[in-house]
């Protein structure tokens, strides 16, 4: 890393989670019924003092809250992630500028992440960086359950980034279901008719 000035290749599937304090999750560790009944904030407010006292949780409760707030503060800090200023924090967004800063001169970065970063109304600054680095963008619908924990209607994409250039130039394929379709697209002769999302049987 030191000799080459960074990583030649970074590959990852960063967490797709908003960084917030999960009070309900913390309390459910001690009272699982809170999670089973899916208690909302007003209900948890009424149960908080009782639960903390019942299980002597004051120290653990405050520690968990402080850790979450400190993490949010770090990830939202302009001096740490200036190109994310104004955007709602989601961990995968923080991974992008951090990975780019660790690339070597010939480095490439590939991440699987949601497409929300491409249409966030406050994401102009990071998109200007993305489009100057983006080489390939392959958008998927989760219909085949490639990510079982995500809903089948969720969209995500494989994005391959290189060093920042002066021109915007990348290949993009959308509405994918199976990764093998990517190879099939590049192996084609470029003259065949591009099929629709559904076949002749409307499936």
């Amino acid at each position: 890393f030191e000799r080459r000035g960074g990583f030649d290749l970074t590959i990852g599937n960063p967490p797709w989670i908003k960084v917030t304090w999960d009070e309900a999750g913390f309390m459910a560790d001690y009272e699982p019924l809170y999670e089973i009944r899916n208690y909302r904030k007003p209900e948890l407010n009424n149960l908080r003092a009782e639960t903390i006292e019942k299980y002597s949780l004051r120290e653990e409760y405050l520690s968990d809250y402080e850790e979450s707030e400190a993490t949010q503060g770090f990830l939202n800090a302009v001096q740490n992630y200036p190109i994310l200023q104004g955007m709602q924090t989601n961990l995968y967004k923080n991974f992008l500028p951090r990975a780019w800063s660790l690339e070597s001169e010939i480095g490439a970065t590939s991440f699987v992440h949601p497409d929300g970063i491409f249409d966030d109304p406050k994401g102009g600054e990071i998109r200007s960086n993305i489009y100057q680095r983006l080489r390939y963008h392959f958008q998927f619908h989760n219909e085949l359950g490639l990510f079982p924990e995500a809903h089948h209607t969720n969209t995500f994409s494989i994005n391959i980034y290189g060093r920042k250039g002066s021109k915007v130039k990348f290949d993009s394929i959308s509405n994918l279901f199976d990764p093998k379709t990517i190879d099939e697209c590049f192996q084609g002769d470029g003259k065949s008719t591009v099929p629709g999302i559904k076949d002749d049987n409307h499936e």
Side-chain angles (χ1 to χ4, degrees), residues 14-195:
W16 309 353
I17 56 172
K18 295 176 181 177
V19 182
T20 57
W21 186 52
D22 184 13
E23 181 181 29
F26 175 84
M27 293 174 66
D29 284 343
Y30 300 90
E31 286 284 3
L33 199 59
Y34 295 171
E35 183 72 23
I36 295 170
R37 292 184 176 171
N38 197 24
Y39 283 156
R40 303 294 180 200
K41 192 173 180 70
E43 296 165 312
L44 290 172
N45 287 342
N46 294 331
L47 295 167
R48 181 186 300 118
E50 176 186 336
T51 306
I52 289 174
E53 182 178 352
K54 180 179 179 181
Y55 294 100
S56 302
L57 295 178
R58 178 178 171 79
E59 187 175 330
E60 290 88 347
Y61 180 94
L62 292 176
S63 176
D64 196 75
Y65 176 77
E66 289 167 358
E67 181 178 345
S68 176
E69 286 295 299
T71 301
Q72 289 183 61
F74 181 86
L75 296 176
N76 286 313
V78 176
Q79 61 270 36
N80 295 331
Y81 298 95
I83 64 175
L84 297 178
Q85 186 175 5
M87 300 180 71
Q88 185 172 15
T89 303
N90 191 307
L91 272 178
Y92 81 85
K93 296 175 184 176
N94 297 89
F95 270 70
L96 297 178
R98 179 60 62 222
W100 296 336
S101 71
L102 298 175
E103 285 180 352
S104 70
E105 284 298 318
I106 61 168
T109 302
S110 179
F111 282 139
V112 178
H113 63 68
D115 270 355
I117 202 164
F118 292 107
D119 57 18
D120 190 311
K122 297 182 179 179
E125 182 68 22
I126 191 169
R127 274 195 297 277
S128 69
N129 280 266
I130 283 177
Y131 287 130
Q132 291 178 70
R133 298 173 181 276
L134 192 59
R135 302 295 180 263
Y136 297 94
H137 171 256
F138 304 127
Q139 184 220 48
F140 287 82
H141 292 271
N142 197 37
E143 289 291 344
L144 297 183
L146 300 177
F147 290 92
E149 65 277 10
H151 194 272
H152 72 94
T153 61
N154 282 13
T155 59
F156 60 90
S157 55
I158 297 173
N159 301 278
I160 300 175
Y161 305 97
R163 298 293 292 180
K164 195 172 184 179
S166 57
K167 294 183 179 179
V168 175
K169 183 180 179 181
F170 60 91
D171 292 342
S172 180
I173 306 175
S174 298
N175 298 316
L176 292 163
F177 296 99
D178 195 318
K180 70 178 182 179
T181 307
I182 297 172
D183 291 332
E184 293 171 353
C185 287
F186 284 104
Q187 289 167 1
D189 56 15
K191 299 177 182 178
S192 304
T193 301
V194 177

